Amino acid sequence: MRILITNDDGIDAIGIRLLADWAKRLGEVTVVAPKVEQSGKSHAIDFTRPVEIRRVSLMEGVEAYAMDSTPADCVRFGTVGLGRTYDLMLSGINQGANVGMDIVYSGTVGAVFEAARFGIPAVAFSAERDQQALAAAHLDRVYAFLCQHDLLRANPLYNVNIPADPKGIRVTRQGSEYFSDAFEKREGDYYLQVGEPLPDREPEDMTRDTVAFYNGYISITPLLATRTNEAVFERYRNLK
């Protein structure tokens, strides 16, 4: 199996090293990751300037590159730039959960949408801050669950959040917003975007990733890359 790995925390983040070290057991691993942190960059790409891409030493048995661009661009270089095909793309392990509306902003999740363009099954992994090592201990469990239920054949894209001490696994859907938004004034003309955790709007609904994860379950959410509302399209497709 040929596996491509990226993240949005950067090539030096502990999460990507944990993920790559685990993935070596599955097959041949190539890592292409951002040179510096790219959190919140979603599915962005950079085509207006030349970008630095250099080969780096990450760990034995893994070919690795640091790219001065986004996670989606890292997937693009790993495929188009290196001229390779892959059986699986993995992203993470992210520093911080990616649940609810954060899926929209996450560079970790954005990478799996780019993998979808190339027909590569892809999984994004996230954990609470400073808990990636605890989450990595459950990668075998998650992968076995995906394989046992043939989930990657049913749907090629997944977002997985792993708590430190999981009670079990739940297949979930995207939950609601779980952070408030505010702009905090700094010196001069500078502002910092800040937020505080919000309770889920449906705190008893364990089908939501925001609820399942914060109740101690590994959440596995199937994703779609398309933005088309198929139900509305089918209803109105014959309008002239």
Side-chain angles (χ1 to χ4, degrees), residues 5-204:
I5 294 180
T6 192
N7 71 349
D8 73 1
D9 291 321
I11 190 72
D12 294 321
I14 183 63
I16 200 167
R17 294 173 182 269
L18 292 165
L19 187 57
D21 189 54
W22 171 80
K24 285 196 299 180
R25 299 182 235 163
L26 303 180
E28 176 186 329
V29 173
T30 301
V31 170
V32 184
K35 177 182 178 181
V36 296
E37 184 178 353
Q38 296 284 319
S39 296
K41 296 300 177 69
S42 187
H43 198 169
I45 61 173
D46 191 340
F47 54 87
T48 61
R49 65 182 179 96
V51 297
E52 177 192 20
I53 306 170
R54 59 184 176 84
R55 187 160 179 176
V56 297
S57 176
L58 188 70
M59 65 180 63
E60 186 177 353
V62 172
E63 182 179 344
Y65 298 85
M67 182 175 187
D68 188 18
S69 194
T70 64
D73 264 345
C74 290
V75 175
R76 291 164 67 82
F77 177 74
T79 51
V80 177
L82 296 177
R84 296 177 186 170
T85 59
Y86 300 91
D87 303 296
L88 182 65
M89 200 287 291
L90 305 175
S91 185
I93 302 169
N94 190 65
Q95 169 90 317
N98 278 308
V99 293
M101 284 301 295
D102 271 18
I103 291 175
V104 176
Y105 302 113
S106 168
T108 304
V109 179
V112 305
F113 290 128
E114 187 61 25
R117 288 194 58 237
F118 300 101
I120 309 170
V123 184
F125 293 97
S126 301
E128 281 281 41
R129 290 192 172 276
D130 302 319
Q131 294 184 358
Q132 293 102 314
L134 295 173
H138 299 281
L139 290 172
D140 280 337
R141 182 180 183 183
V142 172
Y143 187 69
F145 186 89
L146 293 170
C147 293
Q148 177 187 352
H149 299 287
D150 210 13
L151 292 183
L152 287 169
R153 187 182 299 273
N155 186 76
L157 304 180
Y158 287 88
N159 181 46
V160 176
N161 287 271
I162 307 175
D165 185 19
K167 301 173 183 177
I169 296 176
R170 295 289 180 96
V171 176
T172 56
R173 55 198 173 99
Q174 181 180 350
S176 61
E177 291 184 84
Y178 74 105
F179 270 98
S180 64
D181 294 315
F183 283 81
E184 188 176 272
K185 185 78 165 65
R186 293 298 175 90
E187 185 178 352
D189 296 326
Y190 289 88
Y191 290 77
L192 178 68
Q193 294 197 59
V194 296
E196 295 292 334
L198 296 170
D200 195 279
R201 291 196 292 264
E202 298 182 42
E204 305 304 319

Side-chain angles (χ1 to χ4, degrees), residues 188-233:
D189 296 326
Y190 289 88
Y191 290 77
L192 178 68
Q193 294 197 59
V194 296
E196 295 292 334
L198 296 170
D200 195 279
R201 291 196 292 264
E202 298 182 42
E204 305 304 319
D205 185 357
M206 291 290 289
T207 70
R208 300 160 73 87
D209 59 2
T210 42
V211 179
F213 176 73
Y214 286 111
N215 276 279
Y217 289 89
I218 297 170
S219 69
I220 299 181
T221 306
L223 302 178
L224 291 174
T226 179
R227 302 292 179 94
T228 301
N229 186 321
E230 294 291 344
V232 174
F233 169 72

